[in-house]
């Protein structure tokens, strides 16, 4: 009888933080499974299956590498490995382990770790370590054991349904599955910081919509496209992102006309938050996310943030508040938003910049200046004329157009 030929035809997914969610774990796992299925919807025949403590992707003939790359963008995954599956039979496990060791290799050092969650399996984990180690040494010529720094760390999980063998592990993004922590409105400017803030909010399970203020003709169509491209990049880590594009020209001109120059920037930010809050109410969104980093610019001093924040009772998530610029750029490069963010197109926050913006504004003064002006009709008009688009739909249209040529 020919020996069974084993293949790396599964991907074993480990989740970290989800494991401590107690009675709520099922809700988190269902969402993680949905998000994985969503990421892999283009791969025909691929199945996702949940078992106690693990998720498995059944490749069903699909090449593993493109699927692994997609899974590396899913929040909630601690690590993932290609796996060989075999029955809970000691002889079959030995055969499968040997084939897994020799998969694409002829020499090296190894270590075996057996984990037996199936307590009915007749051999204890420590004993199985020795059985497998001896079998691998006896049936190969150029492999040796190294318990401290092995080239190959073989993990053998003996579970209720089957045994899974892996020989490497890739790190996942960690965090919580997108969609388990509610939705937030990301104030997306087109700069380096706000996309990173959106990414980090998603890492904590937040799904996003985005709002962008644009001021044509002072800001160009290319500046608007830049924001759409940034949102499109973020969709790779979760679901579609709706972008609310708010025309801001008239409001911005009026603010700079009616508010003293050194308080205009603070007033502009307060108006942005007022509009954002109304969009939140309209869309059933419970918080806002910004790319503010304490002390980075005049609007991000403690005093400025206090005065700007005073117009809303909504929670504001500020994932970057304690980061310096280098740390933010490092993440922007990692998630590939940096090359888009540095495109040289002005946004509404970089035009009409006051010569000496107030870094320690006072709330009473700000409220006094605002009481001498009335922006309510312009705010109403800006919201009514906002355009809402889908980042994913725009990408699909672009892809379809590209296919025509």
């Amino acid at each position: 009888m020919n020996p069974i030929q084993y293949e790396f035809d599964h991907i074993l997914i480990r989740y970290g933080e989800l494991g401590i969610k107690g009675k709520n774990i099922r809700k988190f796992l269902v969402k993680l499974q949905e998000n994985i299925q969503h990421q892999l919807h283009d791969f025909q025949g691929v199945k996702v299956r949940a078992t106690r403590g693990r998720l498995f992707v059944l490749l069903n003939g699909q090449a593993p590498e493109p699927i692994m790359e997609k899974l590396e963008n899913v929040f909630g995954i601690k690590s993932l490995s290609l796996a060989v599956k075999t029955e809970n039979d000691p002889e079959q496990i030995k055969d499968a382990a040997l084939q897994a060791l020799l998969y694409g290799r002829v020499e090296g050092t190894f270590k075996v770790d057996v984990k037996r969650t199936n307590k009915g399996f007749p051999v204890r984990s420590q004993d199985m370590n020795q059985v497998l180690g001896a079998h691998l040494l006896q049936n190969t010529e150029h492999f040796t054991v190294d318990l401290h720094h092995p080239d190959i760390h073989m993990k053998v999980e003996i579970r209720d349904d089957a045994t899974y063998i892996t020989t490497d592990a890739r790190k996942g993004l960690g965090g919580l599955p997108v969609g388990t922590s509610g939705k937030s409105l990301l104030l997306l400017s087109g700069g380096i910081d706000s996309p990173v803030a959106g990414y980090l909010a998603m890492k904590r399970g937040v799904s996003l919509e985005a709002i962008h203020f644009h001021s044509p003709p002072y800001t160009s169509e290319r500046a608007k496209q830049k924001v759409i491209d940034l949102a499109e990049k973020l969709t790779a880590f979760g679901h579609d992102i709706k972008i609310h594009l708010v025309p801001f020209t008239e409001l911005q001109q009026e603010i700079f006309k009616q508010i003293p120059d050194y308080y205009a920037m603070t007033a502009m930010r307060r108006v942005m938050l007022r509009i954002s809050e109304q969009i939140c109410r309209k869309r059933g969104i419970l918080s806002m996310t910004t790319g503010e980093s304490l002390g980075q610019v005049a609007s991000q001093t403690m005093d400025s943030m206090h005065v700007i924040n005073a117009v809303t009772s909504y929670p504001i998530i500020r994932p970057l508040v304690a980061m310096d610029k280098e740390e933010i750029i490092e993440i922007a490069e990692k998630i590939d938003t940096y090359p888009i963010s540095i495109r040289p197109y002005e946004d509404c926050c970089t035009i009409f910049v006051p010569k000496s913006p107030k870094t320690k504004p006072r709330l009473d003064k700000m409220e006094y200046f605002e009481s001498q002006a009335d922006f309510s009709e312009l705010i109403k008009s800006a919201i009514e004329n906002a355009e809402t688009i889908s980042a994913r739909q725009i990408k699909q249209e672009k892809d379809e157009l590209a296919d025509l040529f």
Side-chain angles (χ1 to χ4, degrees), residues 116-131:
R116 185 185 60 142
T117 57
N118 179 350
K119 299 305 178 190
F121 188 76
V123 186
R124 294 185 309 167
S125 299
Q126 189 56 38
D127 295 338
M128 198 63 191
N129 274 335
Q130 294 175 9
V131 168

Side-chain angles (χ1 to χ4, degrees), residues 178-194:
V178 172
T180 55
S181 299
K183 187 179 278 187
S184 190
L185 184 68
L186 172 67
L187 276 69
L188 191 58
S189 70
I192 295 169
D193 300 344
S194 53

Side-chain angles (χ1 to χ4, degrees), residues 6 51 78 158 220 234 237 256 352:
Y6 293 99
T51 66
K78 179 186 175 189
I158 302 172
S220 66
L234 292 178
F237 303 98
F256 278 81
F352 297 107

Side-chain angles (χ1 to χ4, degrees), residues 120-166:
F121 188 76
V123 186
R124 294 185 309 167
S125 299
Q126 189 56 38
D127 295 338
M128 198 63 191
N129 274 335
Q130 294 175 9
V131 168
L132 288 179
H135 181 74
L136 297 177
L137 288 172
Q138 286 164 8
N139 289 279
T140 57
E141 291 185 359
H142 303 295
F143 286 92
T144 56
V145 172
D146 183 342
L147 297 180
H148 302 291
H149 304 289
D151 301 325
I152 305 151
H153 189 171
M154 179 178 289
K155 294 185 178 178
V156 180
E157 296 194 10
I158 302 172
R159 307 180 64 79
D160 289 341
D161 64 319
T163 294
Y164 297 88
I165 301 169
T166 64

Side-chain angles (χ1 to χ4, degrees), residues 12-15 50-56 115 157 159:
L12 182 154
I13 294 172
R14 305 173 189 88
Y15 43 84
T51 66
R52 194 178 62 171
R54 296 283 184 263
L55 287 170
F56 290 94
K115 185 177 179 184
E157 296 194 10
R159 307 180 64 79

Side-chain angles (χ1 to χ4, degrees), residues 277-289:
E277 183 178 301
Q278 290 198 44
I279 297 284
C280 283
R281 288 186 198 284
K282 214 171 154 185
R283 304 285 302 172
I285 298 171
L286 299 180
S287 73
M288 298 174 230
T289 298

